[in-house]
Amino acid sequence: PMEEHERAWVVVSFLVFRGDYEAALNRLELFHVGPADAAAPIEWRWRMLFEWGTMALQLGRVQEAMAKLHEAEQIFPTAEGANNLGVAYARDDDVASATRCFSAALERFPGYRDALLNQADGTGSRLTLLPLRRAPARSEYA
């Protein structure tokens, strides 16, 4: 059977894919995820915080987004986390911090298109809505 955090992630990712960002954020708020939440494994806590910050940013809640994306970065630094945090800084008119985040994203994942475009134009217009794939594709199985 699926754990609560797994069920929450399935619902949240479906809502994000559908473009219902308010409903996705509402579901995340019900889950009350945070770095001290021992109920979920670390990867799931990171996912929920990353998604919470991303949905808050989609809805124009920049300060909330920054807080959640910072929490996610403290748990597990990722390219998409740095990129989205850079977008939050760009929307908060902190160009220097945004640039540092886009650079960090590219160090973690060279060629990452969202970060490349954000760094090139400086506007932070490319938000990564869902976590990047970390598992190998079928073509990469040994």
Side-chain angles (χ1 to χ4, degrees):
M2 290 175 76
E3 298 288 331
E4 180 184 0
H5 58 273
E6 293 170 321
R7 283 191 301 275
W9 179 249
V10 169
V11 172
V12 167
S13 59
F14 170 76
L15 291 168
V16 171
F17 182 75
R18 197 172 74 182
D20 195 345
Y21 308 128
E22 187 74 44
L25 187 57
N26 288 340
R27 180 66 181 108
L28 288 163
E29 288 170 345
L30 288 174
F31 192 63
H32 296 294
V33 69
D37 180 9
I42 194 167
E43 180 182 341
W44 294 100
R45 285 184 284 160
W46 173 85
R47 281 183 188 217
M48 294 300 189
L49 287 165
F50 167 81
E51 208 59 58
W52 188 324
T54 302
M55 292 303 96
L57 201 49
Q58 276 291 90
L59 297 170
R61 294 157 54 173
V62 176
Q63 296 305 313
E64 178 183 355
M66 290 168 102
K68 295 301 179 183
L69 291 168
H70 271 292
E71 286 183 60
E73 280 287 287
Q74 290 173 354
I75 290 174
F76 187 55
T78 62
E80 62 268 43
N83 178 72
N84 288 5
L85 187 54
V87 171
Y89 278 124
R91 292 184 185 173
D92 199 42
D93 295 323
D94 185 345
V95 177
S97 295
T99 300
R100 279 193 302 276
C101 287
F102 300 142
S103 294
L106 290 169
E107 286 174 21
R108 294 171 188 169
F109 182 18
Y112 175 25
R113 187 159 172 78
D114 286 349
L116 280 169
L117 293 171
N118 283 332
Q119 190 175 52
D121 70 17
T123 64
S125 61
R126 302 289 238 148
L127 189 62
T128 303
L129 294 179
L130 291 166
L132 300 176
R133 181 181 173 92
R134 287 180 174 56
R138 287 186 181 190
S139 63
E140 297 170 330
Y141 291 159

